[in-house]
Amino acid sequence: MEGTGMITGAPVHREGKKLWQYLASISASIMAVGVGTALAWTSPVLPQLYEPDSWLVITKEQGSWVSSLLALGAMLGAILSGPMADKLGRKKSLLLLTAPFLLSWVIIIFASVLWLINVARFIVGVGVGAACVLVPTYISEIAETSTRGTLGAMFQLFLTVGILLAFVLGAVLSYTAFAIICALIEIAFFASFVWMPESPVWLVNEKRKPEATLAMTVFRGDSYDPSEELAEMQREAEQAASRKSSIFDLIRTRAAKKALLASLGSMFFQQLSGINAVIFYTVTIFQASGSSMSPELASIVVAIVQTVMSGVAAIIVDRAGRKPLLIFSSSAMAVSLVALGLYFNIKANGNDVSNLGWLPLTSLTLFMISFSIGMGPIPWMLMGELFPAETKAVASGIAVMLNWFLVFLVTKTFPMMNDELGADATFWIFAGIMVVGTAFTYFVIPETKGKSSQEIQEELQGNGRFKTTNA
């Protein structure tokens, strides 16, 4: 059954038009392209800066800071984004985020010393962390129940487009031209998003119902009667107002605890799969593997696969459900990480790997495919779906902060783990974590496909139904 937002269950609900929900989600997701380019910028740029004839020669240790400072900035951005979104609104907050992105690219264009690049990476991190909270929140609040999965998957899809763009531009453009294109993406976001309506959920919470009705008319079309959906939002807003939201609300009820555990758990396993280590160091991994394909080309192939599969995820997530996709995703990632570790193990033991040149590319491609249809988009989607309006901003801030702390941890320690333990043991550790992630998904994460916010909360609160739903 497609979500009706109905309380009575009487079949009078007509679905609204989807065009403006798609347009607004695509426009907001241009910000995610900017996030992707910022994330992957280090992959083509750092190997250039390690070259002895580079305009700025840096060491591997300095490079690990350039990679990981973004994650520290993102933690700060995640903390600030919740209160900012509640105070200024989702739309204004998103438009304001163009400032840290543009500032960072301007610094990178004119930087002549390493510390300026580090400052730029931290600043862009603040924008990245806030965007990771605000874009999924905005999309989940404007989408109808029936399109929420597809639109929610757009954030990850556009993020992968940004990563692919960074790999391609980094391979063919100069350092400066690359940064200029990245800055232009932010200007394109601002120019398109400035015309979009504010989130009706936020407007209702602010007691601005006429504006919320107007926004709903844009998002659902003129012939749609938004009164029922608005009444549902109103009820949620009144419940939120009656109990002043605080961080303790996240552990006060059974539903809140389960939502928090599921959301933080999915973020934990998303990052401890090693995904960002793979993205940040794709070129380096291929250089180390001695694969027959050039590292730059191999990294572009991996990014293309990730982008295509994120598109597939957006199409199938409302049909297949969140939980089956997550279980498939983490299992397949475990297999590909074991295979990748095996290749490096054979190579480390001095054996001939010339006839295994296909294995690193195949393993990483399978890893990216599996990540892109489950572990990539779904934790962001769950973050927008599992929490009621009054705790969504705080909970999303905490989830994104955890996410970026783990990004920092993984990207900072990955080169060291590689040196100390070897690439084989490093990838096998990530594989073990994915096996645990599969079990966690099966037992803890609820299915949210096709359910209204109210139904999700009732299910989280309910006894026993939580575990067995749609496994």
Side-chain angles (χ1 to χ4, degrees), residues 317-337:
V317 71
D318 273 326
R319 296 189 182 91
R322 292 25 166 184
K323 197 163 171 169
L325 284 177
L326 272 178
I327 288 170
F328 167 78
S329 173
S330 50
S331 316
M333 283 162 82
V335 171
S336 53
L337 286 163

Side-chain angles (χ1 to χ4, degrees), residues 20-91:
W20 277 92
Q21 295 173 50
Y22 274 90
L23 288 177
S25 299
I26 288 167
S27 173
S29 296
I30 295 172
M31 173 65 80
V33 178
V35 169
T37 52
L39 272 180
W41 178 82
T42 50
S43 194
V45 169
L46 284 183
Q48 295 169 23
L49 299 184
Y50 295 147
E51 295 294 326
D53 58 349
S54 166
W55 64 271
L56 175 73
V57 181
I58 64 171
T59 65
K60 291 279 169 74
E61 171 60 21
Q62 289 168 328
S64 76
W65 278 109
V66 173
S67 281
S68 50
L69 271 166
L70 176 141
L72 289 183
M75 286 169 66
L76 180 64
I79 300 169
L80 299 176
S81 60
M84 182 166 85
D86 286 345
K87 201 167 188 61
L88 301 177
R90 291 19 175 171
K91 179 182 171 177

Side-chain angles (χ1 to χ4, degrees), residues 5 7 141 199-214 216 226-243 388-390 453-454:
I7 303 302
E141 289 181 351
S199 151
V201 173
W202 182 77
L203 290 168
V204 168
N205 278 341
E206 292 293 297
K207 303 186 172 50
R208 288 157 64 174
K209 197 151 180 215
E211 290 167 73
T213 310
L214 202 62
M216 287 296 278
S227 55
E228 211 169 296
E229 239 184 305
L230 286 167
E232 174 79 11
M233 289 175 197
Q234 187 77 49
R235 262 193 301 277
E236 286 187 10
E238 281 161 10
Q239 284 172 1
S242 67
R243 41 178 202 271
E390 73 268 20
S453 178
Q454 189 72 31

